[in-house]
Amino acid sequence: MPRLPVALAAALTVALGLAVRVAFDGPFAKYAGDALYTVLIYALILLARPATRPWVTALAATALSWAIEFAQLGDIPAVLRPVLGSTFNPPDLFWYAAGAAAAAAVHALARPGRLTPARPG
C-alpha cells in the first residue's frame, strides 16, 4: 500500500480523535478515542511495513494496544501518561479490537488490485 494515503489516514485519525474529544464527552468520547488510538497504531504499522496484510496489521495493532493497556496495571511514568494512559479499564480492550477491525476492513477494501475484475476461466 502506498505510504501517502496511509500518512493522510494517520493525520485524519488524529484529527478525528481530537474532534471527538472536543465535541463529545462521556463514554462515547472515551471509547471512540480508544478505537481511534488503535486505528492510529494500525496506520503507523502500515507506514513502517506497507506490505503487511490487513489481518496481520489488525492483530499487531490490537496486541500493542492491549500491551499498553495491561501496562497500566503497573506504574506508568508521569511523562508517558498522556500518551499511554494511567488506569486499566477492561472495556478498553474491546474498543481497541473494534478499532483494529474497522481499520482492517478499510485497508482490505483499499488494497491495490482489489477492484481488478477476476479473469474468466
Side-chain angles (χ1 to χ4, degrees), residues 12-80:
L12 178 62
T13 300
V14 170
L16 283 173
L18 294 172
V20 164
R21 288 295 191 167
V22 168
F24 302 97
D25 55 359
F28 176 80
K30 188 212 179 319
Y31 296 125
D34 288 344
L36 289 168
Y37 184 83
T38 302
V39 170
L40 179 60
I41 291 172
Y42 188 105
L44 294 175
I45 291 169
L46 272 185
L47 282 173
R49 306 246 345 180
T52 309
R53 292 182 179 179
W55 70 271
V56 173
T57 312
L59 286 176
T62 301
L64 184 55
S65 296
W66 284 12
I68 292 167
E69 187 69 24
F70 280 108
Q72 294 170 2
L73 290 170
D75 188 27
I76 302 282
V79 69
L80 296 177

